[in-house]
Amino acid sequence: MASSEFKPLDEKSLIEYIKNTPVLSNQIGNKFDELKIKEVGDGNLNFVYIVDSPDGSFVIKQALPYIRCIGESWPMSKERAYFEARTLKEHGRLCPEHVPEVYHFDHTMCLIGMRYLEPPHIILRKGLIGGFEYPYLAEHISDYMAKTLFYTSLLYLTTTEHKRVVAEFCGNVELCRLTEQVVFSDPYRVSQYNHWTSPFLDHDAEAVRENNDLKLEIAELKSKFCERSQALIHGDLHTGSVMVTSSSTQVIDPEFSFYGPMGFDVGAFIGNLILAYFAQDGHSDSTNDRKSYKKWILKMIEDTWNLFYEKFIALWDKHKDGPGEAYLPEIYNNPELRQLVQRKFMTDLFHDTLGFGAAKMIRRIVGVAHVEDFESINEASKRAECERKALEFAKMLLKNRRKFDSINEVVAAM
Amino acid sequence: MASSEFKPLDEKSLIEYIKNTPVLSNQIGNKFDELKIKEVGDGNLNFVYIVDSPDGSFVIKQALPYIRCIGESWPMSKERAYFEARTLKEHGRLCPEHVPEVYHFDHTMCLIGMRYLEPPHIILRKGLIGGFEYPYLAEHISDYMAKTLFYTSLLYLTTTEHKRVVAEFCGNVELCRLTEQVVFSDPYRVSQYNHWTSPFLDHDAEAVRENNDLKLEIAELKSKFCERSQALIHGDLHTGSVMVTSSSTQVIDPEFSFYGPMGFDVGAFIGNLILAYFAQDGHSDSTNDRKSYKKWILKMIEDTWNLFYEKFIALWDKHKDGPGEAYLPEIYNNPELRQLVQRKFMTDLFHDTLGFGAAKMIRRIVGVAHVEDFESINEASKRAECERKALEFAKMLLKNRRKFDSINEVVAAM
């Protein structure tokens, strides 16, 4: 069914919609008697329905023309659904193991029908709060990042193809603007949306707003975010955008995707692991001091970067004679020089990663949208203590990121 | 007249075209008896006609679907005429004093009708070869660069407007590819198009192709050129794209324009002044040793950068509360911090300028398209000597650009 105009669905009209959309009704064997529909949108932006029947299941995600968690007072282009579907399909093509399949996209309705990530899949962030270990997490997420970032960059694309997709994703400007505001601006100024664990962090929040060094660094990162079209990035790759089981890792919600700096994705993921680390002291109790779990998170941080490095370079080596136009074979294919340019590229990317990671940490403590890792610590003074440690570490990282040569040094500093 | 299909004009069909195009025929008072038409395209790409009559004059520029100086064997999108007209109008709006007026654009015919820059306007490069001084050159060109680069960047535009124009100019990809090839690739590999003053510079050309340090640096600059959409740059701002008299400075030929790094424009101009400097020894004779003229060129180099710096910062200060979204007033409007971010911004831009300037110098000595500054030195050994000095300086600049803190240091090194 192609709808002629946009209308927000509810559980009732959704059933009608499914009945009129063969690719969806086939998914549940065309049986509507035992259909269960559940609205589960716990994110900040959209409505999400799980559609389940004995014969199959799927998820329906619909974008509304405002930000769900704020309300109609903060309008937001529903066109974001197009870019989410576009990137789910593109990233899914490049890394099908870690991106859920899209069954259906309705542009008019801003609606995506996609794979339901069945239990025991849970949001990674909740797993990290619960203290669960995921043996394949670093392996999987590094695989996803290496493939999606490498194959959409000039390391693999021709300039012609690159500029075509850069132009297309310029259309997702409203979501980019939202990131600019909440990551790069609001934490550094007085804003009605900012909040923090008050009164404990009142001075800490003020100190961020009055720190010229931080403002200098955040300006450089913001300009990279706005101006550098390096790869098709997910744009919001925190631990709430990843669903996991002990053997599966699935990346969801790329509605913020656009052509931006690779370090923004790698940094988002690693920065949120660092937040999870600093939150652990707030989750320890007499039965579990979380010490060994903290070690596991540190290992995840190390492994994620190191495996990403390894896989990214392996793709580069594999495709050194490929279509990519950044480093032409006739110029760069002597092994010594290729190593040299690869090392330089990865060092720059590492420093971007630390910078963006730090920026994402800061905004989760003194900005509009906080993380459950800290929010779920009930005792405010204890929460503030964890948050302060994370904030201080992030500030240090933002200012000194270029002094770090390896992820081991970062982990040692934690 | 709107043509229904593209056809290359000759002098005869051009008259018919003008008769059918009121905005052009009005320009010459609708008098065709004393009309003089002269083809003067001495550039590398297009056909250019001067249309002159007692009642007025104009220039017609038509893009053909290949590169004129190579021939039909090197096809090139004639759509470049659209981007040239687009940027002439936009840069002309921002800096009417130094951009010739566009009277007419015919998209189908890839044809621009524009102001004829009457004698004594000559191409600046020819003036520099002739040893002429232009008292307003640095003042004017710095004005043009400061205005066109500032007003088209995020220092003045909103993100929304910025992404809209970035997307539009992604369409000029074929011209970007040409630059990528001739500036960032060909000089560093064996290419059928490369040439140099042989046999004198055979080893010098080979040394460029085998220098890993240069290749590392040129890769970084190429990635900035391809990925960083900082401002609407002219894209080919060498001394052959500027026409001058003692009191007028006019920038022409922005067909390579797109959203790229500001340093590519500033570097192109300064790099070509440096080439002019090193060519002077080849133009000296018993009547004129060119010593004082060389000093004047050095002064031009210093003044161009210093005035550009001054004017750019003045625009920034003037519009600190303007629509630009890079540095929001609530965050950056304390004077100390603004100075800090401005200094950092300009230092980065200075290093980009030196890097791109050096790259443009190298390609003019060992790449496909050379400059008349050197080509007009008849004695090959003398020419090679000048070129070698320029090449060595450019290599040093490309590798050590980050060590220079001011333009005075660059001039001192020359």
Side-chain angles (χ1 to χ4, degrees):
Chain A
M1 176 180 104
S3 312
S4 59
E5 59 178 5
F6 176 82
K7 62 170 193 281
L9 290 179
D10 54 27
E11 299 192 13
K12 190 160 164 258
S13 54
L14 179 57
I15 294 178
E16 282 312 300
Y17 185 88
I18 296 167
K19 283 186 178 163
N20 288 315
T21 311
V23 68
L24 294 178
S25 44
N26 289 341
Q27 206 71 29
I28 48 165
N30 289 296
K31 287 178 190 155
F32 290 84
D33 295 343
E34 295 173 68
L35 203 60
K36 282 182 211 149
I37 292 186
K38 198 175 146 197
E39 211 284 310
V40 294
D42 63 347
N44 295 323
L45 297 183
N46 305 293
F47 284 83
V48 180
Y49 299 91
I50 294 169
V51 179
D52 198 14
S53 87
D55 289 278
S57 61
F58 55 87
V59 155
I60 292 288
K61 184 169 177 180
Q62 187 177 34
L64 267 57
Y66 54 83
I67 297 181
R68 181 180 180 175
C69 70
I70 306 275
E72 301 194 24
S73 66
W74 193 331
M76 184 55 53
S77 166
K78 55 187 167 52
E79 191 63 12
R80 64 184 186 265
Y82 168 78
F83 293 102
E84 175 166 0
R86 175 80 170 77
T87 299
L88 278 171
K89 287 182 202 166
E90 177 66 2
H91 283 183
R93 186 179 70 79
L94 298 170
C95 188
E97 305 86 343
H98 304 303
V99 181
E101 189 183 347
V102 172
Y103 305 134
H104 170 69
F105 176 60
D106 183 331
H107 202 147
T108 308
M109 288 287 280
C110 304
L111 180 149
I112 301 170
M114 58 191 286
R115 176 186 166 193
Y116 168 47
L117 294 166
E118 70 293 344
H121 276 102
I122 60 167
I123 291 288
L124 171 59
R125 194 185 297 287
K126 291 182 191 291
L128 294 167
I129 294 166
F132 302 109
E133 298 188 7
Y134 299 95
Y136 297 102
L137 177 61
E139 186 70 37
H140 288 170
I141 201 76
S142 62
D143 199 49
Y144 166 80
M145 295 192 302
K147 284 178 181 160
T148 57
L149 298 178
F150 177 86
Y151 284 115
T152 61
S153 78
L154 282 167
L155 291 168
Y156 187 76
L157 298 182
T158 64
T159 313
T160 306
E161 175 64 9
H162 179 255
K163 284 221 191 290
R164 201 184 59 71
V165 279
V166 167
E168 180 186 351
F169 277 90
C170 280
N172 204 17
V173 56
E174 278 203 41
L175 280 275
C176 290
R177 286 175 70 92
L178 180 55
T179 301
E180 285 163 38
Q181 178 178 345
V182 300
V183 176
F184 300 104
S185 300
D186 279 355
Y188 306 90
R189 64 177 171 186
V190 174
S191 157
Q192 58 168 315
Y193 300 110
N194 289 343
H195 63 102
W196 52 82
T197 302
S198 188
F200 305 97
L201 297 185
D202 288 359
H203 289 299
D204 302 79
E206 196 188 351
V208 169
R209 294 197 301 271
E210 292 182 356
N211 190 319
N212 283 357
D213 292 337
L214 291 182
K215 291 179 175 185
L216 199 62
E217 295 297 342
I218 204 71
E220 183 180 326
L221 290 170
K222 182 179 179 184
S223 117
K224 256 192 195 155
F225 180 83
C226 294
E227 295 172 350
R228 186 161 190 202
S229 45
Q230 195 179 19
L232 177 55
I233 67 175
H234 178 284
D236 197 26
L237 192 56
H238 56 78
T239 51
S241 295
V242 180
M243 293 194 74
V244 285
T245 69
S246 59
S247 60
S248 164
T249 307
Q250 302 292 328
V251 177
I252 58 172
D253 294 353
E255 59 217 296
F256 284 85
S257 58
F258 77 113
Y259 260 79
M262 296 180 181
F264 194 76
D265 271 6
V266 190
F269 190 76
I270 287 179
N272 275 269
L273 285 184
I274 301 177
L275 289 178
Y277 172 86
F278 282 108
Q280 291 303 316
D281 287 345
H283 302 307
S284 68
D285 55 35
S286 54
T287 64
N288 187 345
D289 64 9
R290 298 273 177 139
K291 276 191 187 157
S292 80
Y293 194 62
K294 283 169 78 173
K295 275 196 194 140
W296 180 80
I297 297 181
L298 292 183
K299 188 171 175 331
M300 273 311 94
I301 293 170
E302 277 194 41
D303 287 357
T304 297
W305 173 260
N306 289 333
L307 286 169
F308 169 73
Y309 190 116
E310 205 176 276
K311 289 166 195 274
F312 194 91
I313 293 292
L315 289 172
W316 190 331
D317 287 340
K318 181 179 171 190
H319 296 289
K320 66 185 165 56
D321 298 305
E325 294 193 324
Y327 298 87
L328 300 178
E330 310 100 288
I331 307 176
Y332 292 97
N333 267 0
N334 101 50
E336 188 198 343
L337 177 59
R338 196 166 68 252
Q339 272 200 4
L340 214 60
V341 296
Q342 287 176 339
R343 208 171 303 141
K344 184 169 188 305
F345 185 98
M346 295 308 282
T347 300
D348 290 345
L349 178 48
F350 183 58
H351 294 153
D352 281 4
T353 293
L354 298 182
F356 286 121
K360 302 276 264 179
M361 290 173 68
I362 291 169
R363 74 99 156 193
R364 292 296 192 177
I365 298 167
V366 299
V368 53
H370 286 223
V371 288
E372 201 181 329
D373 309 64
F374 292 127
E375 297 300 289
S376 59
I377 303 169
N378 285 325
E379 196 187 324
S381 67
K382 199 174 178 187
R383 186 193 325 137
E385 206 183 306
C386 295
E387 288 175 322
R388 182 177 292 122
K389 280 184 194 161
L391 183 62
E392 286 306 312
F393 187 78
K395 286 163 67 179
M396 183 280 296
L397 207 55
L398 184 51
K399 285 189 275 193
N400 300 324
R401 63 188 186 279
R402 295 175 199 83
K403 293 181 186 155
F404 289 92
D405 287 328
S406 73
I407 191 74
N408 309 51
E409 290 171 30
V410 177
V411 164
M414 289 169 65
Chain B
M1 174 180 105
S3 311
S4 59
E5 60 178 5
F6 176 81
K7 62 171 194 278
L9 290 178
D10 55 28
E11 300 193 12
K12 192 159 163 259
S13 54
L14 178 57
I15 295 178
E16 282 311 299
Y17 184 89
I18 296 166
K19 282 186 176 161
N20 289 314
T21 311
V23 68
L24 294 178
S25 45
N26 288 342
Q27 205 72 28
I28 49 166
N30 289 298
K31 286 180 191 157
F32 290 84
D33 295 345
E34 294 174 70
L35 203 59
K36 282 182 213 151
I37 292 186
K38 199 174 146 197
E39 210 285 311
V40 294
D42 63 348
N44 296 323
L45 297 183
N46 305 294
F47 284 83
V48 180
Y49 300 91
I50 295 169
V51 179
D52 198 14
S53 86
D55 289 276
S57 61
F58 54 86
V59 155
I60 293 288
K61 185 169 177 179
Q62 187 177 33
L64 269 55
Y66 53 84
I67 296 181
R68 182 180 180 174
C69 70
I70 305 275
E72 302 194 23
S73 66
W74 193 331
M76 183 55 52
S77 166
K78 55 188 167 50
E79 191 64 11
R80 64 184 186 265
Y82 167 78
F83 293 101
E84 175 166 1
R86 175 79 171 75
T87 299
L88 279 171
K89 288 181 202 166
E90 177 65 3
H91 283 183
R93 185 178 71 79
L94 298 169
C95 188
E97 307 86 341
H98 305 303
V99 180
E101 188 183 347
V102 173
Y103 305 133
H104 170 69
F105 175 60
D106 183 332
H107 202 148
T108 309
M109 288 287 280
C110 304
L111 180 150
I112 301 169
M114 57 191 286
R115 177 185 165 193
Y116 168 48
L117 294 166
E118 69 294 343
H121 276 102
I122 61 166
I123 292 288
L124 171 58
R125 193 185 297 287
K126 289 182 192 291
L128 295 167
I129 295 166
F132 301 109
E133 298 187 8
Y134 299 94
Y136 297 101
L137 178 60
E139 186 71 36
H140 289 170
I141 201 77
S142 61
D143 200 49
Y144 165 80
M145 295 192 302
K147 285 178 180 158
T148 56
L149 299 179
F150 177 86
Y151 284 115
T152 62
S153 77
L154 282 167
L155 292 168
Y156 187 76
L157 298 183
T158 64
T159 313
T160 306
E161 175 64 10
H162 179 255
K163 284 222 191 286
R164 201 185 59 71
V165 279
V166 167
E168 179 186 352
F169 277 91
C170 279
N172 205 17
V173 55
E174 279 203 39
L175 280 277
C176 290
R177 285 175 70 91
L178 180 55
T179 301
E180 285 163 37
Q181 177 178 346
V182 300
V183 176
F184 299 104
S185 299
D186 279 355
Y188 306 91
R189 65 177 170 186
V190 173
S191 157
Q192 58 168 316
Y193 300 110
N194 288 344
H195 62 102
W196 52 81
T197 303
S198 187
F200 306 98
L201 297 185
D202 288 358
H203 288 299
D204 303 77
E206 196 188 350
V208 169
R209 295 196 302 270
E210 295 184 352
N211 190 320
N212 283 357
D213 292 338
L214 292 182
K215 291 179 175 185
L216 198 63
E217 295 297 343
I218 205 73
E220 182 179 327
L221 291 169
K222 183 179 177 183
S223 116
K224 256 191 194 155
F225 181 83
C226 294
E227 295 172 349
R228 186 162 191 202
S229 46
Q230 194 178 21
L232 178 55
I233 67 174
H234 178 284
D236 197 27
L237 192 56
H238 57 78
T239 51
S241 296
V242 181
M243 295 195 73
V244 285
T245 70
S246 59
S247 60
S248 164
T249 306
Q250 302 292 327
V251 177
I252 59 173
D253 293 354
E255 60 217 294
F256 284 85
S257 57
F258 76 115
Y259 260 79
M262 296 180 180
F264 194 76
D265 270 7
V266 190
F269 190 76
I270 287 180
N272 275 270
L273 285 184
I274 301 176
L275 288 178
Y277 173 86
F278 282 108
Q280 291 303 316
D281 287 344
H283 302 307
S284 69
D285 55 35
S286 53
T287 64
N288 187 345
D289 64 8
R290 298 273 177 138
K291 276 191 187 158
S292 79
Y293 194 62
K294 283 169 76 174
K295 275 196 193 140
W296 180 81
I297 298 181
L298 291 182
K299 188 171 176 332
M300 274 310 94
I301 294 170
E302 277 194 41
D303 287 356
T304 297
W305 173 260
N306 289 333
L307 287 169
F308 169 72
Y309 190 116
E310 205 176 276
K311 288 166 195 276
F312 194 91
I313 293 292
L315 290 172
W316 190 332
D317 287 340
K318 182 178 170 191
H319 296 289
K320 66 185 165 57
D321 299 304
E325 295 192 323
Y327 299 86
L328 300 179
E330 309 100 289
I331 308 177
Y332 293 97
N333 266 1
N334 103 49
E336 187 198 343
L337 177 58
R338 196 165 69 252
Q339 272 199 6
L340 213 60
V341 296
Q342 287 176 340
R343 208 171 304 140
K344 184 169 189 303
F345 185 97
M346 295 309 279
T347 300
D348 289 345
L349 178 49
F350 184 57
H351 294 153
D352 280 5
T353 293
L354 298 183
F356 286 121
K360 303 275 263 178
M361 291 173 68
I362 291 169
R363 75 97 156 196
R364 293 295 194 178
I365 298 167
V366 298
V368 52
H370 286 224
V371 288
E372 200 180 331
D373 309 63
F374 292 127
E375 297 300 289
S376 60
I377 303 169
N378 286 325
E379 197 186 323
S381 67
K382 199 174 178 185
R383 186 194 326 137
E385 208 182 305
C386 296
E387 289 175 322
R388 182 177 292 123
K389 280 184 193 161
L391 183 61
E392 287 305 313
F393 186 79
K395 286 163 65 179
M396 183 280 296
L397 208 54
L398 184 51
K399 285 187 279 192
N400 300 325
R401 63 188 185 279
R402 295 175 199 83
K403 295 182 186 155
F404 289 92
D405 287 329
S406 73
I407 192 74
N408 309 51
E409 290 172 28
V410 176
V411 164
M414 289 169 64

